[in-house]
Amino acid sequence: MSDETVRRFDEIGRLPEPGDNVAIAVERLEPGTRVEHDGHRFAIRHTVLEGHRFAAEPIPAGQELLSWGLPFGRAISDIAPGDYACNEKILQVLGEREGVASGHGDGGEPEGTHDQGGGRVPGGRTPGRLALPAEPNFEDAELRPHELDERAFRPGAPVPLHARRRTFMGYRRPGGRGVGTRNHVVVLGMTSRTGSYAKLLEARLRGLAQGHEHLDGVVAVAHTEGGEEKAPNNLELLLRTLSGFVVHPNVAAVLVVDEAVGAVTGPTLRAYMEEHGYPLEHVQHRFLSLGGGFAGDLERGERILRDWVEEAAATRRTEQPLSELKIALQCGGSDAFSGVSANPLVGWVAKELVKHGGAAVLAETDELIGAEPYVLKNVRDLDTARRFLAAIERFTELVGWHGHTAEGNPSGGNNYRGLYNISIKSIGAAAKLDPDVRVERVIDYAERLAEPGYHFMDSPGNDLESVAGEVASGCNLVFFTTGNGSITNFPFVPTLKVVTTTGRYELLRNEMDVNAGAYLEGVAMEELGADTFELALRTASGERSVGEKAGHSQVQIWRDWKQTSGEGLEAILAAPAPDGKPLLVAEEVEGDGGDHVFDAVLAADGAYACDQIGLVMPTSLCSGQVALMIAARLAERAVGAGKVSRFVALPHTEGCGSSGGASLDLYTRAVLGHLAHPIVRVGLLLEHGCEKTHNDFFRTRLAEAGLDPSRFGWASVQLDGGIESVGDRVEEWFTRALDGADALEGEQVGLEHLRLGLTAAGPVPDGAALALAELARTVVGTGGLVVMDETAALLDSQPFLRATLGPREPRATLAHGQAPERPGLHVMESPTSNPTEIVTGLGAAGVDVMLAHVGGRPFQSHRMIPLLQATADAGIASEHAEDLDVLLEGDPASWSAELLEALLEVASRRSTPRLYGHGNTGFQLTRGLLGVSM
């Protein structure tokens, strides 16, 4: 082979540290590529994707593989120079994507990961096959607790402070709240039950800030926590986070909204803030409990916020010292270059800020496991070192109670972009800490910052949950590094997104703020760092970030965990699955459904359904808000008018940053259940691009479930080039998919085609229980389907049980979110008492109309499936008459017929349940008993 075909090592590889024995490929390398390195030549023997590693020198079996001078694996066979370094997991991940994800577009982007079903591939080339080794050649480094040598420990030295300190223009707040980089009025939903209220209020007042130069907007904070009646295990950190949000310096005024039920209420939060010294009296605020009619509550909230706007807008920026700037350091969708370019870059910026007296916060506890030696090289004192290791020990114990280890952290996107395991991910993540900078303190999740310098905050590896804790601690600017191109933003704190490579920056130019890939192409870190530091100062002073211009954001607080020890783990894992056999079938029911009919539409599979819609299904938390934006765009442009009744998106908080196992099964089943739902005429999966449950994951799961992946559309926020271009792609797909479809036509059918979800919360009077039993028997007796959840209060009602099951005991016949194969009466497992999660599970089971008996606050409705709400409780009826659909009064003998008539009106699309029509809807996926953030 001639010299012209030999590649110089520095053209195709990078060694993070001079002593490393494996290199990172900076482009895709094909088998047979010849490389010259240190006077020696070797050949690449297999496909090595951009960001993956190959041996730079011989590595005998048993020797450690090193990156950044730290071990991430041990060779299980001799590894020759040029050999692709691969463990078992990475071969599995690449095998799942092989054939649809093995090409490269401009800048080395994986092509086609979302393109089955026909259409464009980024870069325009045909994907090539991967030539992979048959067996792995290294095993992961064993994760052992780091042993601190206290005798040898020496305190680190602080970086010297600048004699002349820089300033920025910010909003000085009273009471020691700090200085804001933004000026927002906030609607804070205290629990998941008030999230939809907060979002609706934000939408009503979206244009209110226009014309007010110094008001950045009215924004909602909605999250998944605190929605159950009992106190959650994360109550302390939930209250600490909400408290930090309330007094955050970017908040001019805050409306705190609760339902006055459960363990997380306004009085609870107020008492917590007073006890822990939060300066609540120094922020304009009001606690609002929802009560009475939902529409009236919206009007009340709107009046309060409008009264605050002028005062908030009168606040002015003034010159403030940089010691008041506190930056959150976060990473998401990381790749092999995160630790080479983006993370060292934000570490440089953090060092410069610390020199000006400011503060920086590193987080994500599980993403530093394996990097302890690096972090502990420079800490303030022995107590700080102990606290850091204690945080890792606590986190390891927490996930262990749920049957997991830290190895579950790297997502599919991490793996695909070269982060083989938690060790190598952690080594790169730690690069956000410049080696010259001393770690001053270790703080708890959402603990307020009390002093300047570089801090570590205990938090999970889940990006959004970690950011929420950093914001609650007082951070007023977020640096978010990403290799894949994460587009996440926080509602009231600006986020600067720093991408690792030029190729990904060019693909997502409209979503990224900083191209750290310039460092890989020769720009000095000092030059790039100085430019980024100036951008940070301009952003802190009011220049809008790319994410703020895009107008989307979301919040996720460290989600609750169900286990507080490992004692019950084996019993949970050994529990048998439900058998799927209905408790009651038509043959066991006397009588029939009479002449009851409803207007159904014929679905694509030949079955009848109550509606036909277009569904945009996000595959993870980070594509949820984009899915909502796209669904609204499709509706506004009347795509498929007359062929679908509406477009729906189902944003959620799962698919990444959480454990696998049983919780992943729950999540997968819920997503598949909604995609295969009878009312979904056309559905499209929208991936973010770097999640655990990417499009190829769901292609495989759909095929395993017997569903044809080509029925669905596929799109990727990252690989399709960002929000605007992916919106175009999705619109094109739905337009094509519906182009030849027939217009919707109704047809009268009997109750055998009705699929009813039935639930109840709070006390159920005997008369109502008997009416609901008669209703269930009527539907089942005609061959229809009724699905209940096992937490439904009806299953505690003896009149209901005697009338439906007789002497038989109720039992779960379906797993949570499982679609039944046979009609009849089913009970669905419910590893949650959160009403929104229960309703979401019923939706996944395939019901196309729901009925709830309400013995307290009404439910949030499902975003996709109408929920009819009724009560026989006179007190509840009086309090919530404006929100309930059926008030059961008078002779109980007529109630069953009254409920059935109301249901059939909804099933026929002639009536819309009140709260569903008001937009008080939610969609929330349970993590079950063993799910935990990672």
Side-chain angles (χ1 to χ4, degrees):
M1 187 173 287
S2 65
D3 288 345
E4 286 76 12
T5 61
V6 176
R7 305 289 301 279
R8 295 198 321 272
F9 178 84
D10 60 4
E11 292 178 331
I12 55 89
R14 291 285 187 279
L15 289 172
E17 293 287 343
D20 292 349
N21 53 14
V22 291
I24 303 172
V26 299
E27 61 183 60
R28 173 174 170 148
L29 302 176
E30 298 297 349
T33 302
R34 293 184 63 81
V35 181
E36 183 170 342
H37 178 48
D38 285 345
H40 300 282
R41 293 183 180 180
F42 55 81
I44 301 296
R45 298 175 58 189
H46 298 93
T47 305
V48 181
L49 293 178
E50 179 195 45
H52 290 239
R53 285 167 167 79
F54 62 91
E57 61 185 60
I59 306 174
Q63 184 171 313
E64 292 177 329
L65 280 69
L66 302 176
S67 240
W68 288 279
L70 295 173
F72 66 89
R74 186 178 299 276
I76 56 178
S77 60
D78 291 343
I79 304 175
D83 281 359
Y84 174 40
C86 54
N87 60 2
E88 184 175 354
K89 183 177 182 181
I90 211 69
L91 290 179
Q92 178 183 351
V93 168
L94 294 181
E96 186 173 68
R97 292 193 170 200
E98 187 188 4
V100 296
S102 52
H104 282 74
D106 299 338
E109 302 308 325
E111 296 178 346
T113 57
H114 58 290
D115 199 60
Q116 274 193 356
R120 179 178 55 79
V121 176
R125 303 181 204 162
T126 301
R129 302 288 293 184
L130 297 177
L132 299 174
E135 301 290 339
N137 54 20
F138 81 87
E139 61 186 4
D140 294 342
E142 184 178 353
L143 295 178
R144 296 178 178 176
H146 181 80
E147 295 184 6
L148 179 64
D149 187 345
E150 297 194 357
R151 290 186 177 182
F153 176 83
R154 296 293 181 271
V159 294
L161 299 179
H162 288 307
R164 298 182 63 183
R165 311 283 179 85
R166 300 279 301 276
T167 61
F168 73 105
M169 301 298 292
Y171 297 99
R172 170 66 66 175
R173 306 296 188 187
R177 289 175 55 208
V179 174
T181 60
R182 294 294 182 269
N183 191 38
H184 283 286
V185 173
V186 174
V187 187
L188 176 59
M190 280 202 62
T191 73
S192 59
R193 296 182 181 219
T194 53
S196 59
Y197 175 89
K199 285 289 189 181
L200 286 168
L201 206 50
E202 175 192 55
R204 288 169 72 122
L205 300 174
R206 184 157 288 138
L208 196 59
Q210 294 179 0
H212 295 286
E213 180 184 354
H214 298 280
L215 179 64
D216 291 296
V218 177
V219 296
V221 172
H223 58 88
T224 60
E225 298 309 288
E228 298 185 82
E229 294 287 337
K230 62 182 181 180
N233 290 323
N234 70 344
L235 179 61
E236 170 75 18
L237 63 83
L238 174 57
L239 293 173
R240 192 161 62 229
T241 305
L242 296 175
S243 299
F245 288 169
V246 169
V247 301
H248 194 279
N250 284 11
V251 176
V254 56
L255 179 64
V256 184
V257 185
D258 74 345
E259 281 195 338
V261 296
V264 186
T265 63
T268 305
L269 181 61
R270 182 190 292 275
Y272 181 89
M273 296 184 72
E274 291 174 352
E275 178 184 352
H276 292 85
Y278 286 86
L280 179 60
E281 68 275 15
H282 292 288
V283 58
Q284 177 79 273
H285 71 278
R286 182 165 173 181
F287 289 89
L288 175 67
S289 292
L290 303 184
F294 188 76
D297 285 334
L298 285 172
E299 292 175 0
R300 277 200 300 157
E302 183 173 345
R303 286 195 298 270
I304 294 168
L305 296 177
R306 287 187 179 277
D307 287 344
W308 287 344
V309 165
E310 293 300 327
E311 181 178 347
T315 308
R316 295 292 182 268
R317 291 183 183 269
T318 56
E319 189 172 10
Q320 299 293 334
L322 268 188
S323 57
E324 295 290 352
L325 189 59
K326 303 169 184 179
I327 61 173
L329 304 176
Q330 188 60 222
C331 58
S334 301
D335 70 359
F337 299 104
S338 294
V340 179
S341 61
N343 288 342
L345 174 58
V346 301
W348 193 100
V349 172
K351 177 171 69 173
E352 185 66 14
L353 179 60
V354 169
K355 289 181 177 180
H356 284 278
V361 180
L362 177 69
E364 299 181 293
T365 303
D366 51 325
E367 296 193 3
L368 292 174
I369 296 175
E372 297 96 334
Y374 177 85
V375 176
L376 294 177
K377 283 181 180 179
N378 195 358
V379 297
R380 179 176 182 169
D381 51 34
L382 191 56
D383 182 62
T384 302
R386 290 171 180 152
R387 285 175 58 83
F388 172 70
L389 293 177
I392 289 178
E393 183 179 357
R394 283 195 308 272
F395 192 92
T396 302
E397 182 181 41
L398 173 64
V399 298
W401 292 339
H402 297 78
H404 307 293
T405 69
E407 272 297 345
N409 173 285
S411 70
N414 293 151
N415 296 149
Y416 191 74
R417 296 276 289 177
L419 297 180
Y420 297 164
N421 54 34
I422 186 59
S423 296
I424 205 164
K425 184 175 182 180
S426 294
I427 294 167
K432 294 191 286 291
L433 171 61
D434 187 283
D436 294 337
V437 174
R438 185 175 75 175
V439 178
E440 299 292 336
R441 285 192 67 206
V442 173
I443 62 175
D444 290 331
Y445 184 84
E447 180 183 346
R448 295 187 78 202
L449 293 168
E451 59 186 72
Y454 198 100
H455 297 67
F456 169 73
M457 184 191 75
D458 184 21
S459 78
N462 183 298
D463 312 337
L464 296 182
E465 295 179 11
S466 187
V467 166
E470 290 173 309
V471 168
S473 76
C475 290
N476 47 17
L477 180 64
V478 177
F479 271 97
F480 196 105
T481 66
T482 179
N484 287 272
S486 293
I487 62 166
T488 183
N489 302 289
F490 195 85
F492 58 82
V493 176
T495 300
L496 292 175
K497 289 183 282 295
V498 183
V499 69
T500 62
T501 60
T502 297
R504 192 57 60 128
Y505 178 78
E506 293 296 337
L507 182 67
L508 295 166
R509 179 180 289 271
N510 293 331
E511 317 301 337
M512 300 291 114
D513 296 274
V514 179
N515 174 25
Y519 171 71
L520 300 174
E521 296 167 355
V523 177
M525 183 59 73
E526 291 73 15
E527 178 183 348
L528 190 57
D531 289 345
T532 306
F533 187 73
E534 294 302 321
L535 173 64
L537 267 58
R538 296 197 305 272
T539 304
S541 299
E543 183 176 305
R544 296 172 72 203
S545 68
V546 169
E548 288 176 297
K549 295 173 185 176
H552 67 92
S553 63
Q554 65 187 119
V555 178
Q556 177 58 29
I557 297 170
W558 193 343
R559 284 201 74 174
D560 190 25
W561 53 90
K562 297 299 184 180
Q563 307 304 315
T564 56
S565 74
E567 291 181 4
L569 179 60
E570 289 187 9
I572 295 171
L573 293 173
D579 59 19
K581 298 177 182 178
L583 295 175
L584 186 69
V585 295
E587 293 76 10
E588 300 177 84
V589 181
E590 296 180 1
D592 56 47
D595 57 357
H596 296 294
V597 295
F598 65 99
D599 288 337
V601 290
L602 191 63
D605 61 358
Y608 288 99
C610 291
D611 201 357
Q612 290 288 270
I613 69 165
L615 174 63
V616 183
M617 187 74 218
T619 66
S620 70
L621 64 169
C622 291
S623 56
Q625 299 306 306
V626 180
L628 279 176
M629 295 166 67
I630 290 174
R633 166 180 168 170
L634 296 171
E636 182 181 346
R637 299 185 180 184
V639 173
K643 300 174 181 180
V644 291
S645 67
R646 56 204 161 99
F647 284 94
V648 175
L650 299 175
H652 56 82
T653 60
E654 301 307 301
C656 206
S658 57
S659 53
S663 59
L664 181 60
D665 293 340
L666 281 167
Y667 164 66
T668 304
R669 188 163 55 239
V671 171
L672 296 186
H674 285 89
L675 286 167
H677 198 285
I679 73 169
V680 176
R681 188 171 199 180
V682 281
L684 176 141
L685 293 92
L686 178 68
E687 70 171 11
H688 186 213
C690 56
E691 57 266 73
K692 178 185 296 185
T693 55
H694 44 72
N695 278 351
D696 290 325
F697 172 91
F698 275 112
R699 281 197 187 90
T700 303
R701 303 293 93 77
L702 284 166
E704 290 173 350
L707 298 168
D708 182 2
S710 66
R711 279 181 47 192
F712 302 95
W714 306 87
S716 174
V717 177
Q718 292 172 358
L719 296 182
D720 279 317
I723 296 172
E724 184 175 352
S725 58
V726 77
D728 292 340
R729 175 179 173 82
V730 173
E731 183 176 348
E732 290 168 7
W733 185 84
F734 275 109
T735 300
R736 289 198 313 270
L738 292 168
D739 185 49
D742 295 331
L744 296 180
E745 291 186 8
E747 181 177 342
Q748 287 197 338
V749 297
L751 295 184
E752 68 273 17
H753 297 290
L754 186 66
R755 292 174 289 270
L756 172 65
L758 183 60
T759 189
V764 184
D766 289 352
L770 290 170
L772 291 166
E774 183 180 347
L775 172 65
R777 289 175 62 85
T778 299
V779 174
V780 170
T782 58
L785 172 69
V786 177
V787 181
M788 304 176 63
D789 65 279
E790 65 179 350
T791 63
L794 283 170
L795 296 180
D796 295 324
S797 166
Q798 288 303 311
F800 178 85
L801 293 176
R802 285 195 299 268
T804 51
L805 301 181
R808 290 174 293 176
E809 290 292 322
R811 60 177 175 81
T813 64
L814 301 171
H816 185 83
Q818 178 185 353
E821 295 181 2
R822 295 180 56 191
L825 175 63
H826 286 272
V827 174
M828 179 189 76
E829 287 182 329
S830 187
T832 175
S833 61
N834 183 299
T836 307
E837 293 177 354
I838 291 169
V839 168
T840 298
L842 290 173
V847 303
D848 44 14
V849 63
M850 302 186 200
L851 172 64
H853 183 276
V854 177
R857 288 284 308 175
F859 287 64
Q860 281 184 326
S861 186
H862 193 289
R863 293 186 66 89
M864 190 171 97
I865 301 157
L867 169 65
L868 197 72
Q869 306 199 53
T871 191
D873 185 309
I876 299 298
S878 173
E879 185 177 357
H880 300 290
E882 296 179 20
D883 293 335
L884 298 173
D885 303 289
V886 181
L887 305 181
L888 298 172
E889 301 169 323
D891 185 4
S894 66
W895 290 354
S896 177
E898 187 177 351
L899 289 168
L900 181 56
E901 181 181 356
L903 278 171
L904 296 182
E905 285 294 299
V906 173
S908 300
R909 303 167 307 288
R910 291 190 293 266
S911 175
T912 300
R914 291 181 176 181
L915 285 180
Y916 184 81
H918 286 315
N920 187 15
T921 60
F923 183 83
Q924 184 167 313
L925 299 163
T926 180
R927 288 185 178 172
L929 301 177
L930 298 180
V932 64
S933 298
M934 299 181 73

